[in-house]
Amino acid sequence: MAKVLFVMTGVDYWTLADGTKHPTGYWAEEFAAPYEAIKAAGHEIVVATPGAVVPTVDGGSLAPGANGGPEGAEKIAETLRKATELTHPIDLAAVDLADYDAVYYPGGHGPMEDLAVNTTSGQLLNAALASGKPLGVVCHAPAALLATVGADGKSPFAGYRVAAFSNAEETQAGLADKAKWLLQDRLIALGVDYSEGEPWAPHVVVDRNLYTGQNPASSAPLAAELLKAL
C-alpha cells in the first residue's frame, strides 16, 4: 500500500483584478476522481492545506451541469461526504515528504490565490520533483509552480512539459477578462514547456516524474497514470 499526499488550497475565494473576491476553493471532480481511483487501489490518502484549514469545495463544481447531470452531481457529492480525509487535514508546514510515495495537487481557482505564493508548498514541489516520486498537478493547481522560483530567479520546473488550464478555457469560463493574471501566461513566463490540448477535453502530459492535466476532465486519466507509477 502506498501513501499519497493531496495538497489542497486553504482559501474559499480568488481575488479578481478589480479587488472583488470570487467565491471558489477546490474543484470537486479534481479531488473526487483521483480520490476514488487511489482508494479503490488500496492506497492511503492524507490531505494537507496551509494552516490545516478544512478545504472548501467550489460550489459551481457540485452543480449538475459540471457533472453530467443530477446523478453525477449526487455521486460526486457523496464522494466528498465520505472522504473523512477532507475534514481532518494536516498542516502543510508539518509535511515530511519522506512519509509519502506520491504527491497530488487538485485544482480549482483557490490555488491561484494561496498556493501560487506559498513558499512551503514551493519547497515541497521542488523536493518532490527532485525525489523522483510521482508528482501530479491538475488544472489551476499548476499555479503552485509559481512559488518554486529560487534565489537565482529560476524554477526547477523550467523546461518541463506542463499541461494546465488554458487561456481559451478561462475565456470560455467567462473569467479571463476579470483575472489579475492568466495561468497559461505565467507558466510560460516561468519557463515551462506549456502543452495545450482542446478546451475541456482530457489532456495529460507526463515528463519524467511530473504528471500534469489541463482541466477537470484530465483528473481521472492523470490519476490512472499516477497509479501505474505507484
Side-chain angles (χ1 to χ4, degrees):
M1 184 177 80
K3 195 172 181 181
V4 182
L5 180 71
F6 276 39
V7 179
M8 301 180 67
T9 180
V11 297
D12 59 4
Y13 65 91
W14 173 39
T15 306
L16 301 177
D18 65 0
T20 59
K21 291 182 176 180
H22 175 71
T24 186
Y26 69 90
W27 197 259
E29 182 179 0
E30 294 166 28
F31 171 85
Y35 178 88
E36 291 278 17
I38 291 166
K39 292 285 274 193
H43 303 307
E44 181 184 352
I45 290 172
V46 174
V47 170
T49 63
V53 173
V54 173
T56 298
V57 65
D58 187 312
S61 70
L62 295 174
N67 294 289
E71 192 176 320
E74 176 50 37
K75 185 181 175 191
I76 213 159
E78 176 60 24
T79 295
L80 301 190
R81 283 194 292 269
K82 75 181 182 186
T84 55
E85 295 89 347
L86 280 174
T87 54
H88 300 90
I90 65 170
D91 190 343
L92 183 58
V95 166
D96 182 350
L97 181 62
D99 295 337
Y100 301 95
D101 302 289
V103 178
Y104 170 66
Y105 279 64
H109 280 105
M112 301 267 285
E113 184 74 27
D114 63 349
L115 298 181
V117 293
N118 188 298
T119 53
T120 302
S121 170
Q123 290 163 1
L124 175 65
L125 284 165
N126 288 341
L129 190 72
S131 74
K133 295 177 179 182
L135 171 61
V137 196
V138 75
C139 200
H140 286 94
L145 302 187
L146 302 178
T148 64
V149 177
D152 59 358
K154 296 177 182 176
S155 167
F157 288 84
Y160 276 76
R161 291 183 67 236
V162 172
F165 205 68
S166 66
N167 289 356
E169 287 165 320
E170 204 71 84
T171 300
Q172 289 174 24
L175 289 165
D177 60 347
K178 300 174 184 175
K180 285 183 182 177
W181 47 269
L182 296 176
L183 181 56
Q184 178 178 339
D185 295 344
R186 290 289 296 274
L187 289 173
I188 290 169
L190 188 71
V192 308
D193 179 8
Y194 179 79
S195 175
E196 183 175 0
E198 287 297 314
W200 313 111
H203 179 57
V204 173
V205 170
V206 181
D207 188 346
R208 287 154 280 184
N209 62 315
L210 179 62
Y211 299 72
T212 53
Q214 181 169 315
N215 46 35
S218 305
S219 56
L222 187 148
E225 293 294 331
L226 284 178
L227 283 171
K228 285 183 200 170
L230 287 171

